[in-house]
Amino acid sequence: MVNLMKENIFNKIAKKKVNIDYIYKDKYITVFNDINPKAPIHIIIIPNIYIKNLNYVNKKNIIYINKMFLYIPIITKKKNINKSGYRIIINCNKDSGQEIKYLHLHILGGCLLI
Ligand code: AMP
């Protein structure tokens, strides 16, 4: 049975069902620009499998989290924010303001973040 909760926008993006500018995609992760950027550079990295949030990280899916983090120094260097600096945000559940119920990592940079 299809779990409708899984069919959210990031799940569709991970399956390349959404027509957006993909920055990068491989077996494990998908990378794209945030649709509503909160900084000059606002990139989202998602795993290619459904993980609701950090509470669901485990030994089986940790490879996807590894790949997400391994891509940070690559994309921040490409975007030339590795030296100026950037912020990583991962929201989890309602008190954090997690809007999309699909684990994702924000990279914010390109200005002084307050
Ligand atoms: P969060 O509050 O951590 O769940 O962040 C969700 C982020 O996803 C927000 O910054 C949204 O602007 C972004 N977002 C929502 N829909 C899309 C989309 N279709 N493409 C790119 N980013 C999106």
mmCIF file of all heavy atoms in Angstrom, residues 8 11-12 19-20 22 41-42 46 48 63 66 69 72 76 78-79 100-104 106 113:
data_model
loop_
_atom_site.group_PDB
_atom_site.id
_atom_site.type_symbol
_atom_site.label_atom_id
_atom_site.label_comp_id
_atom_site.label_asym_id
_atom_site.label_seq_id
_atom_site.Cartn_x
_atom_site.Cartn_y
_atom_site.Cartn_z
ATOM 1 N N ASN A 8 5.278 13.357 -0.430
ATOM 2 C CA ASN A 8 5.380 14.803 -0.296
ATOM 3 C C ASN A 8 6.340 15.338 -1.346
ATOM 4 O O ASN A 8 6.932 14.587 -2.113
ATOM 5 C CB ASN A 8 5.737 15.211 1.145
ATOM 6 C CG ASN A 8 7.143 14.815 1.541
ATOM 7 O OD1 ASN A 8 8.051 14.773 0.722
ATOM 8 N ND2 ASN A 8 7.325 14.514 2.820
ATOM 9 N N ASN A 11 9.870 13.962 -1.612
ATOM 10 C CA ASN A 11 9.870 12.591 -2.126
ATOM 11 C C ASN A 11 9.784 12.612 -3.649
ATOM 12 O O ASN A 11 10.470 11.860 -4.338
ATOM 13 C CB ASN A 11 8.687 11.828 -1.534
ATOM 14 C CG ASN A 11 8.949 10.339 -1.450
ATOM 15 O OD1 ASN A 11 10.017 9.917 -1.027
ATOM 16 N ND2 ASN A 11 8.003 9.549 -1.882
ATOM 17 N N LYS A 12 8.959 13.496 -4.153
ATOM 18 C CA LYS A 12 8.826 13.627 -5.612
ATOM 19 C C LYS A 12 10.121 14.167 -6.224
ATOM 20 O O LYS A 12 10.537 13.722 -7.286
ATOM 21 C CB LYS A 12 7.664 14.569 -5.956
ATOM 22 C CG LYS A 12 6.310 13.963 -5.696
ATOM 23 C CD LYS A 12 5.235 14.946 -6.107
ATOM 24 C CE LYS A 12 3.867 14.456 -5.679
ATOM 25 N NZ LYS A 12 2.877 15.530 -5.699
ATOM 26 N N ASN A 19 9.872 19.296 -11.884
ATOM 27 C CA ASN A 19 10.701 20.021 -12.839
ATOM 28 C C ASN A 19 11.364 21.225 -12.164
ATOM 29 O O ASN A 19 10.836 22.327 -12.186
ATOM 30 C CB ASN A 19 9.818 20.460 -14.016
ATOM 31 C CG ASN A 19 10.647 20.987 -15.161
ATOM 32 O OD1 ASN A 19 11.847 20.722 -15.235
ATOM 33 N ND2 ASN A 19 10.011 21.733 -16.042
ATOM 34 N N ILE A 20 12.507 20.974 -11.528
ATOM 35 C CA ILE A 20 13.272 22.048 -10.892
ATOM 36 C C ILE A 20 14.711 21.963 -11.399
ATOM 37 O O ILE A 20 15.068 20.998 -12.066
ATOM 38 C CB ILE A 20 13.264 21.935 -9.346
ATOM 39 C CG1 ILE A 20 13.790 20.564 -8.911
ATOM 40 C CG2 ILE A 20 11.894 22.233 -8.763
ATOM 41 C CD1 ILE A 20 14.198 20.502 -7.465
ATOM 42 N N TYR A 22 17.986 20.879 -10.770
ATOM 43 C CA TYR A 22 18.732 20.006 -9.869
ATOM 44 C C TYR A 22 20.203 20.420 -9.906
ATOM 45 O O TYR A 22 20.787 20.535 -10.979
ATOM 46 C CB TYR A 22 18.573 18.546 -10.290
ATOM 47 C CG TYR A 22 17.181 18.000 -10.026
ATOM 48 C CD1 TYR A 22 16.159 18.152 -10.956
ATOM 49 C CD2 TYR A 22 16.885 17.358 -8.837
ATOM 50 C CE1 TYR A 22 14.876 17.670 -10.715
ATOM 51 C CE2 TYR A 22 15.609 16.874 -8.577
ATOM 52 C CZ TYR A 22 14.618 17.028 -9.517
ATOM 53 O OH TYR A 22 13.351 16.558 -9.274
ATOM 54 N N ILE A 41 22.543 32.338 -0.876
ATOM 55 C CA ILE A 41 22.702 30.921 -1.229
ATOM 56 C C ILE A 41 21.924 30.101 -0.216
ATOM 57 O O ILE A 41 22.143 30.219 0.996
ATOM 58 C CB ILE A 41 24.192 30.518 -1.269
ATOM 59 C CG1 ILE A 41 24.846 31.243 -2.459
ATOM 60 C CG2 ILE A 41 24.352 29.000 -1.364
ATOM 61 C CD1 ILE A 41 26.327 31.120 -2.537
ATOM 62 N N HIS A 42 20.980 29.354 -0.728
ATOM 63 C CA HIS A 42 20.152 28.497 0.140
ATOM 64 C C HIS A 42 19.899 27.196 -0.625
ATOM 65 O O HIS A 42 19.071 27.133 -1.534
ATOM 66 C CB HIS A 42 18.838 29.187 0.498
ATOM 67 C CG HIS A 42 18.041 28.438 1.531
ATOM 68 N ND1 HIS A 42 16.949 28.971 2.164
ATOM 69 C CD2 HIS A 42 18.177 27.187 2.045
ATOM 70 C CE1 HIS A 42 16.447 28.100 3.021
ATOM 71 N NE2 HIS A 42 17.176 27.000 2.959
ATOM 72 N N ILE A 46 18.856 16.380 0.187
ATOM 73 C CA ILE A 46 17.966 15.330 0.713
ATOM 74 C C ILE A 46 18.534 13.947 0.388
ATOM 75 O O ILE A 46 19.244 13.780 -0.606
ATOM 76 C CB ILE A 46 16.517 15.444 0.144
ATOM 77 C CG1 ILE A 46 16.492 15.308 -1.388
ATOM 78 C CG2 ILE A 46 15.863 16.737 0.579
ATOM 79 C CD1 ILE A 46 15.079 15.253 -1.975
ATOM 80 N N ASN A 48 17.988 10.111 -0.970
ATOM 81 C CA ASN A 48 17.088 9.584 -2.008
ATOM 82 C C ASN A 48 16.112 8.533 -1.494
ATOM 83 O O ASN A 48 15.343 7.987 -2.276
ATOM 84 C CB ASN A 48 17.898 9.016 -3.174
ATOM 85 C CG ASN A 48 18.577 10.109 -3.975
ATOM 86 O OD1 ASN A 48 18.211 11.275 -3.878
ATOM 87 N ND2 ASN A 48 19.571 9.738 -4.753
ATOM 88 N N ILE A 63 24.232 5.667 5.793
ATOM 89 C CA ILE A 63 25.033 5.924 4.583
ATOM 90 C C ILE A 63 24.506 7.156 3.834
ATOM 91 O O ILE A 63 25.287 7.950 3.297
ATOM 92 C CB ILE A 63 25.076 4.672 3.645
ATOM 93 C CG1 ILE A 63 25.917 4.926 2.391
ATOM 94 C CG2 ILE A 63 23.703 4.203 3.235
ATOM 95 C CD1 ILE A 63 27.387 4.894 2.592
ATOM 96 N N ASN A 66 25.662 10.185 5.737
ATOM 97 C CA ASN A 66 27.095 10.374 5.439
ATOM 98 C C ASN A 66 27.268 11.103 4.121
ATOM 99 O O ASN A 66 28.043 12.054 4.014
ATOM 100 C CB ASN A 66 27.818 9.023 5.307
ATOM 101 C CG ASN A 66 28.009 8.319 6.618
ATOM 102 O OD1 ASN A 66 27.869 8.921 7.676
ATOM 103 N ND2 ASN A 66 28.315 7.034 6.559
ATOM 104 N N PHE A 69 26.399 14.813 4.250
ATOM 105 C CA PHE A 69 27.449 15.621 4.878
ATOM 106 C C PHE A 69 28.718 15.682 4.022
ATOM 107 O O PHE A 69 29.393 16.712 3.982
ATOM 108 C CB PHE A 69 27.745 15.126 6.297
ATOM 109 C CG PHE A 69 26.794 15.701 7.307
ATOM 110 C CD1 PHE A 69 25.555 15.125 7.531
ATOM 111 C CD2 PHE A 69 27.109 16.865 7.993
ATOM 112 C CE1 PHE A 69 24.647 15.680 8.424
ATOM 113 C CE2 PHE A 69 26.212 17.435 8.888
ATOM 114 C CZ PHE A 69 24.978 16.839 9.117
ATOM 115 N N ILE A 72 28.696 18.546 1.555
ATOM 116 C CA ILE A 72 28.754 19.949 2.032
ATOM 117 C C ILE A 72 30.051 20.650 1.603
ATOM 118 O O ILE A 72 29.987 21.728 0.991
ATOM 119 C CB ILE A 72 28.534 20.032 3.556
ATOM 120 C CG1 ILE A 72 27.108 19.614 3.911
ATOM 121 C CG2 ILE A 72 28.817 21.450 4.065
ATOM 122 C CD1 ILE A 72 26.859 19.458 5.409
ATOM 123 N N THR A 76 29.851 23.824 -1.079
ATOM 124 C CA THR A 76 30.186 25.149 -0.527
ATOM 125 C C THR A 76 31.445 25.709 -1.190
ATOM 126 O O THR A 76 31.557 26.919 -1.371
ATOM 127 C CB THR A 76 30.355 25.096 1.005
ATOM 128 O OG1 THR A 76 31.306 24.075 1.342
ATOM 129 C CG2 THR A 76 29.038 24.823 1.698
ATOM 130 N N LYS A 78 32.247 24.977 -4.377
ATOM 131 C CA LYS A 78 31.741 25.348 -5.716
ATOM 132 C C LYS A 78 31.037 26.697 -5.684
ATOM 133 O O LYS A 78 31.141 27.489 -6.606
ATOM 134 C CB LYS A 78 30.745 24.289 -6.215
ATOM 135 C CG LYS A 78 31.336 23.289 -7.156
ATOM 136 C CD LYS A 78 30.246 22.436 -7.771
ATOM 137 C CE LYS A 78 30.912 21.229 -8.444
ATOM 138 N NZ LYS A 78 30.041 20.085 -8.519
ATOM 139 N N LYS A 79 30.285 26.938 -4.635
ATOM 140 C CA LYS A 79 29.519 28.189 -4.510
ATOM 141 C C LYS A 79 30.359 29.311 -3.897
ATOM 142 O O LYS A 79 29.874 30.415 -3.669
ATOM 143 C CB LYS A 79 28.270 27.963 -3.652
ATOM 144 C CG LYS A 79 27.266 27.012 -4.271
ATOM 145 C CD LYS A 79 26.557 27.648 -5.445
ATOM 146 C CE LYS A 79 25.585 26.691 -6.100
ATOM 147 N NZ LYS A 79 24.924 27.248 -7.289
ATOM 148 N N ILE A 100 8.535 20.414 5.904
ATOM 149 C CA ILE A 100 8.455 19.259 5.012
ATOM 150 C C ILE A 100 8.888 18.013 5.776
ATOM 151 O O ILE A 100 10.015 17.933 6.281
ATOM 152 C CB ILE A 100 9.376 19.442 3.771
ATOM 153 C CG1 ILE A 100 9.146 20.801 3.097
ATOM 154 C CG2 ILE A 100 9.222 18.268 2.815
ATOM 155 C CD1 ILE A 100 7.989 20.898 2.174
ATOM 156 N N LYS A 101 7.984 17.055 5.843
ATOM 157 C CA LYS A 101 8.245 15.838 6.620
ATOM 158 C C LYS A 101 9.074 14.853 5.808
ATOM 159 O O LYS A 101 8.604 13.773 5.416
ATOM 160 C CB LYS A 101 6.925 15.196 7.061
ATOM 161 C CG LYS A 101 5.963 16.149 7.763
ATOM 162 C CD LYS A 101 6.353 16.375 9.203
ATOM 163 C CE LYS A 101 5.396 17.325 9.902
ATOM 164 N NZ LYS A 101 5.611 18.748 9.598
ATOM 165 N N TYR A 102 10.266 15.277 5.510
ATOM 166 C CA TYR A 102 11.216 14.449 4.753
ATOM 167 C C TYR A 102 12.580 15.015 5.125
ATOM 168 O O TYR A 102 12.829 16.205 4.887
ATOM 169 C CB TYR A 102 10.924 14.597 3.252
ATOM 170 C CG TYR A 102 11.692 13.669 2.334
ATOM 171 C CD1 TYR A 102 11.018 12.714 1.571
ATOM 172 C CD2 TYR A 102 13.072 13.764 2.196
ATOM 173 C CE1 TYR A 102 11.713 11.879 0.705
ATOM 174 C CE2 TYR A 102 13.766 12.927 1.345
ATOM 175 C CZ TYR A 102 13.081 11.993 0.594
ATOM 176 O OH TYR A 102 13.779 11.166 -0.269
ATOM 177 N N LEU A 103 13.411 14.231 5.751
ATOM 178 C CA LEU A 103 14.699 14.739 6.248
ATOM 179 C C LEU A 103 15.437 15.535 5.175
ATOM 180 O O LEU A 103 15.586 15.069 4.043
ATOM 181 C CB LEU A 103 15.567 13.561 6.701
ATOM 182 C CG LEU A 103 16.952 13.935 7.235
ATOM 183 C CD1 LEU A 103 16.860 14.702 8.534
ATOM 184 C CD2 LEU A 103 17.811 12.703 7.419
ATOM 185 N N HIS A 104 15.874 16.726 5.554
ATOM 186 C CA HIS A 104 16.642 17.545 4.613
ATOM 187 C C HIS A 104 17.576 18.455 5.386
ATOM 188 O O HIS A 104 17.316 18.820 6.529
ATOM 189 C CB HIS A 104 15.714 18.361 3.711
ATOM 190 C CG HIS A 104 14.719 19.198 4.453
ATOM 191 N ND1 HIS A 104 13.567 18.666 4.984
ATOM 192 C CD2 HIS A 104 14.709 20.516 4.762
ATOM 193 C CE1 HIS A 104 12.893 19.627 5.583
ATOM 194 N NE2 HIS A 104 13.566 20.761 5.470
ATOM 195 N N HIS A 106 19.661 22.117 5.225
ATOM 196 C CA HIS A 106 19.758 23.428 4.581
ATOM 197 C C HIS A 106 21.209 23.895 4.630
ATOM 198 O O HIS A 106 21.869 23.772 5.662
ATOM 199 C CB HIS A 106 18.965 24.489 5.353
ATOM 200 C CG HIS A 106 17.497 24.241 5.471
ATOM 201 N ND1 HIS A 106 16.552 24.966 4.774
ATOM 202 C CD2 HIS A 106 16.786 23.374 6.226
ATOM 203 C CE1 HIS A 106 15.337 24.569 5.104
ATOM 204 N NE2 HIS A 106 15.452 23.599 5.987
ATOM 205 N N LEU A 113 24.845 35.936 8.410
ATOM 206 C CA LEU A 113 23.582 35.381 8.915
ATOM 207 C C LEU A 113 23.416 35.763 10.379
ATOM 208 O O LEU A 113 24.336 35.610 11.176
ATOM 209 C CB LEU A 113 23.595 33.850 8.770
ATOM 210 C CG LEU A 113 23.713 33.353 7.335
ATOM 211 C CD1 LEU A 113 24.234 31.928 7.305
ATOM 212 C CD2 LEU A 113 22.378 33.440 6.626
#
